[in-house]
Amino acid sequence: NAALGYSRYPWVLSMDADEIIAQEDHDTLRALLRESPRRAYRFITRNYTDDATTSGFEPVEKGAPHALGFSGCFPSAKVRLFPNVAGVRFEGVVHELPNASLERGGIDIVDTPISIHHYPLLNLREGAEEAKKNLYLALGKKKVAANPSDAKAHSELGDQYIDMGAYGAAIEAYKMAVALEPTAGRWLKNLGAALYLLEHYPQALRALRLAVLRDPALEEGWRNLGVVLIRQGVWQEACDALEKAVELNEGHPDNFRYLAIAQSGCGDVSGAIETLECLFQRFPAHEEGRMLYANLTANSDSGSDS
């Protein structure tokens, strides 16, 4: 907000020092600046990491130009570009956003496909990552204390506990979010994921089944449900869940990979091979998929020989 006071131009683009907009998106960004000054724009942030247990983790192709060697990322959406008008300010203790003030000012928020590439773990000093986690945990607790009825604040605190490996505390935070908004599938999805990490599989199944019942369009909920069902050996329901995940999002390679595992568990090896071939059409270099494909085809060939 102090920086906003120094801004003298019609638009504000908010970015951190560890973020970039790729060169190929610059023309699209310039085009937005020629649009109505009564609009603000929400961008997708691609947060790069090697931690595949992170909620929303999406693998990236090996050698992807903007991944800088990271194996995947998780997406988040934030308003980044907005008109420089009186009254627009960031609000909140942590993950501050201008959304509330934009809405009060009658400024529409519009989605744009431009990506912000975020590298929070690049070139960290020794101990800096742990210090950052501790800071965000403290801020998350402060936000919950200031907004005890805000389900999202409790869920964000749960996310911070997950980052710290404190899965039990994360479960309690997610439970509070669910208690505050019991019809919101996304909080149940987070609760189910945390229960899975603690190997509380029956409870994870209940939470995830409720999550997709509350929100049938929750692709990550269907994928997580499929993974837990695979872990429990409930193969046909796992296939059904993962088919739904693929239907909702063909752009996530794990939807195909886990579906192939579930199909194999059902005895449908040819179907699993076809699913992996669909995966390779979209992600030709997917290593885990290639390993699974080699195992399935080898077993299929040996079975036919016998």
Side-chain angles (χ1 to χ4, degrees):
N1 286 335
L4 286 178
Y6 291 97
S7 179
R8 297 290 179 264
Y9 291 92
W11 290 94
V12 173
L13 175 66
S14 175
M15 294 179 64
D16 288 347
D18 55 359
E19 296 176 331
I20 65 165
I21 294 178
Q23 183 73 37
E24 58 265 28
D25 287 325
H26 288 190
D27 286 343
T28 305
L29 177 59
R30 291 188 184 96
L32 295 182
L33 301 179
R34 296 192 288 269
E35 297 291 332
S36 167
R38 301 303 297 178
R39 282 183 172 182
Y41 293 93
R42 186 186 292 111
F43 290 58
I44 296 296
T45 305
R46 295 172 63 82
N47 306 281
Y48 290 95
T49 179
D50 288 323
D51 184 359
T53 66
T54 303
S55 178
F57 180 85
E58 299 177 356
V60 297
E61 284 292 321
K62 191 173 183 179
H66 304 304
L68 300 188
F70 288 100
S71 62
C73 65
F74 60 94
S76 57
K78 303 182 189 71
V79 171
R80 298 299 197 129
L81 181 67
F82 52 88
N84 184 21
V85 295
V88 176
R89 288 293 181 269
F90 289 88
E91 298 177 9
V93 175
V94 62
H95 306 305
E96 306 91 333
L97 298 170
N99 299 44
S101 64
L102 290 166
E103 291 169 4
R104 287 195 298 268
I107 297 171
D108 293 333
I109 296 175
V110 179
D111 290 320
T112 172
I114 297 175
S115 291
I116 302 283
H117 299 277
H118 180 210
Y119 309 96
L121 305 177
L122 196 65
N123 300 325
L124 279 181
R125 300 185 309 277
E126 185 176 353
E129 183 178 0
E130 195 66 25
K132 184 176 181 178
K133 287 179 180 179
N134 288 325
L135 171 63
Y136 272 86
L137 181 62
L139 291 172
K141 290 178 178 178
K142 185 177 179 181
K143 185 173 182 177
V144 164
N147 304 276
S149 61
D150 185 347
K152 184 178 180 182
H154 286 279
S155 184
E156 287 177 349
L157 180 59
D159 295 342
Q160 297 304 324
Y161 279 125
I162 291 290
D163 283 347
M164 302 288 289
Y167 301 141
I171 286 170
E172 295 308 311
Y174 292 140
K175 281 182 177 178
M176 183 59 71
V178 171
L180 289 166
E181 289 186 5
T183 61
R186 53 185 173 161
W187 313 140
L188 284 159
K189 178 263 295 180
N190 291 346
L191 175 59
L195 287 163
Y196 174 76
L197 289 171
L198 270 182
E199 299 184 0
H200 294 172
Y201 302 125
Q203 298 95 320
L205 280 177
R206 283 199 294 272
L208 291 166
R209 282 173 174 149
L210 269 176
V212 296
L213 181 64
R214 297 281 188 266
D215 185 356
L218 196 61
E219 174 245 340
E220 189 179 354
W222 287 108
R223 181 170 63 254
N224 289 351
L225 175 59
V227 170
V228 180
L229 288 165
I230 287 171
R231 179 65 178 76
Q232 294 293 89
V234 186
W235 299 109
Q236 187 54 59
E237 190 181 349
C239 283
D240 295 341
L242 290 158
E243 284 173 359
K244 186 65 177 178
V246 169
E247 177 186 327
L248 289 167
N249 183 9
E250 294 185 356
H252 198 302
D254 277 351
N255 290 341
F256 291 95
R257 183 169 68 89
Y258 284 122
L259 175 56
I261 292 171
Q263 289 170 320
S264 175
C266 285
D268 183 11
V269 175
S270 62
I273 290 172
E274 288 180 11
T275 295
L276 290 171
E277 288 170 348
C278 290
L279 166 64
F280 301 143
Q281 288 175 10
R282 295 163 176 80
F283 301 92
H286 195 276
E287 292 184 7
E288 291 176 304
R290 288 288 175 191
M291 291 174 62
L292 179 58
Y293 186 82
N295 288 334
L296 289 174
T297 53
N299 291 336
S300 176
D301 291 342
S302 64
S304 62
D305 290 340
S306 63

